[in-house]
Amino acid sequence: QVGLAESGGGSVQAGDSLKLTCVLPPAETLRYYSVAWFRQSPGKEREGVAVINQFARVNIADSAKGRFTISQDWGTVYLQMNNLKPEDTGTYYCACRPDGSMPLAPTSYTSWGQGTRVTVSS
């Protein structure tokens, strides 16, 4: 288990932007990794939004394509969310896995942060 820390959530209006940040543990503890963003709304299953691996390859969910961008900067992974919609509301989690594969299924990730809340009003 490694500690991940998310930040950047908030309450915004539809069409606004937010940038979420996920700080990873010291990079030297992870030789290979992928980091993903997931979100979960009340009554719904946790869904993958975007994932990036150590080679900066990305996998973006269809619901986020064209609006969300995932990037990394040595130990920190960002999720830039533009043109937010009410259906983007939820708690956003970052998660890490110790290899470079990039699935969007939450069950395949081994370490999770505590989440940051995003609320988008219409």
Side-chain angles (χ1 to χ4, degrees):
Q1 289 287 330
V2 294
L4 307 175
E6 306 99 332
S7 62
S11 296
V12 298
Q13 297 293 316
D16 287 349
S17 298
L18 279 174
K19 187 173 186 178
L20 306 184
T21 299
C22 174
V23 178
L24 277 65
E28 58 266 23
T29 69
L30 299 172
R31 185 177 181 184
Y32 300 107
Y33 65 86
S34 291
V35 178
W37 284 97
F38 295 86
R39 67 184 177 198
Q40 188 166 22
S41 300
K44 295 185 178 180
E45 294 185 355
R46 190 169 296 188
E47 63 172 337
V49 176
V51 58
I52 189 168
N53 73 3
Q54 75 274 28
F55 302 113
R57 295 182 63 186
V58 302
N59 183 15
I60 309 292
D62 288 343
S63 61
K65 284 180 180 176
R67 301 188 299 124
F68 293 7
T69 303
I70 189 169
S71 61
Q72 61 184 358
D73 181 15
W74 195 246
T76 302
V77 174
Y78 304 97
L79 184 68
Q80 176 67 48
M81 305 187 294
N82 298 326
N83 190 23
L84 283 160
K85 303 176 181 180
E87 52 263 43
D88 295 318
T89 294
T91 299
Y92 283 69
Y93 302 88
C94 66
C96 180
R97 58 183 293 126
D99 62 42
S101 61
M102 299 180 292
L104 289 171
T107 54
S108 61
Y109 287 77
T110 56
S111 299
W112 292 81
Q114 296 300 309
T116 185
R117 179 73 180 171
V118 172
T119 302
V120 184
S121 301
S122 58

